[in-house]
Amino acid sequence: QIQLVQSGPELKKPGESVKISCKASGYTFTDYAMHWVKQVPGKGLKWMGWINTYTGKPTYADDFKGRFVFSLEASASTANLQISNLKNEDTANVFCARGGMGPTWFAYWGQGTLVTVSS
Amino acid sequence: DVVMTQTPVSLSVSLGGQVSISCRSSQSLVHNNGNTYLSWYLQKPGQSPQLLIYKVSNRFSGISDRFSGSGSGTDFTLKISRVEPDDLGVYYCGQGTQYPPTFGGGTKLELK
């Protein structure tokens, strides 16, 4: 069955970096894009961007340009999100979600990784 | 960005009842290819969102026929019939037609 399994919760201090992984299984990794979605606890969903798993090209939403980097370990069917210079407002649950490489919907989601930024 | 507006914000229902959730977009969601990329998700407490409906009215694999989606252009509706305890949570509509993909603010479905 199709699964996206994310790495565990992270507690970081402002200014530090964090790397979240999302390991896919049950399908051909390079056939679908991997998207990233942010959810502040108790709030709604915000799309962060996506990575073309075939070419490795990332695309970032406007609010996620600069400190956010999407990358792949294609041989391991894994997508990664690195956030540098963490700020308190980065505290959120971050989901990876499988979607299309064009107009899309999100058929499969990871379980979420809670990133807490606190001094 | 396309703004997705869901109403109501919360909804109380009796088990076995029927509810409707409305989702309105600030721009038409009809893509140049003729498809409309409007989807519905349910997020149960403590879980990640799960896809219920894609392209307005297509039920995702394993989703009960108690869930139905309809609408066109900028106005869409999710109907849930014979509500069960496992249906409770927050429902989100989402659009993938226009870049960037955006979501509605959510509708919380609770027991009356």
Side-chain angles (χ1 to χ4, degrees):
Chain A
Q1 75 281 22
I2 294 169
Q3 281 191 302
L4 301 179
V5 178
Q6 298 183 226
S7 48
E10 301 274 4
L11 175 60
K12 296 290 184 180
K13 290 181 166 48
E16 293 184 336
S17 296
V18 68
K19 189 173 185 179
I20 301 164
S21 66
C22 170
K23 183 169 176 59
S25 61
Y27 70 97
T28 301
F29 184 68
T30 51
D31 281 353
Y32 296 87
M34 195 63 76
H35 296 253
W36 294 91
V37 177
K38 176 182 178 179
Q39 185 173 41
V40 172
K43 301 296 185 184
L45 304 169
K46 185 163 187 175
W47 183 78
M48 301 172 71
W50 68 288
I51 187 163
N52 184 319
T53 54
Y54 188 77
T55 64
K57 180 186 173 184
T59 300
Y60 303 95
D62 286 346
D63 287 347
F64 299 97
K65 291 178 178 174
R67 299 186 296 113
F68 300 80
V69 176
F70 305 146
S71 63
L72 299 175
E73 295 169 49
S75 60
S77 299
T78 298
N80 300 305
L81 163 62
Q82 182 157 348
I83 311 172
S84 59
N85 189 20
L86 282 161
K87 305 178 187 303
N88 290 332
E89 53 264 36
D90 293 324
T91 294
N93 220 342
V94 177
F95 299 98
C96 59
R98 194 189 88 168
M101 304 220 194
T104 192
W105 57 90
F106 306 110
Y108 297 94
W109 296 66
Q111 82 275 21
T113 297
L114 179 61
V115 177
T116 303
V117 184
S118 174
S119 53
Chain B
D1 297 3
V2 176
V3 176
M4 305 294 288
T5 303
Q6 282 182 240
T7 53
V9 172
S10 64
L11 208 42
S12 293
V13 64
S14 301
L15 293 178
Q18 178 174 298
V19 296
S20 291
I21 300 171
S22 172
C23 177
R24 182 165 291 177
S25 59
S26 60
Q27 301 173 32
S28 172
L29 297 186
V30 180
H31 191 269
N32 290 341
N33 64 16
N35 291 314
T36 300
Y37 294 89
L38 185 283
S39 48
W40 289 95
Y41 304 86
L42 166 60
Q43 187 173 30
K44 299 177 186 177
Q47 296 187 19
S48 53
Q50 61 180 99
L51 176 66
L52 301 173
I53 302 280
Y54 63 96
K55 288 200 293 183
V56 181
S57 60
N58 295 273
R59 273 187 299 276
F60 187 53
S61 173
I63 300 302
S64 168
D65 60 5
R66 297 183 299 103
F67 294 88
S68 63
S70 63
S72 63
T74 61
D75 287 301
F76 304 93
T77 301
L78 175 71
K79 287 186 180 174
I80 313 167
S81 60
R82 304 185 307 279
V83 169
E84 299 179 357
D86 199 42
D87 300 338
L88 304 182
V90 180
Y91 288 80
Y92 294 96
C93 60
Q95 68 83 20
T97 296
Q98 306 274 0
Y99 178 87
T102 49
F103 298 92
T107 296
K108 187 172 185 178
L109 184 63
E110 300 173 302
L111 269 183
K112 192 174 290 184

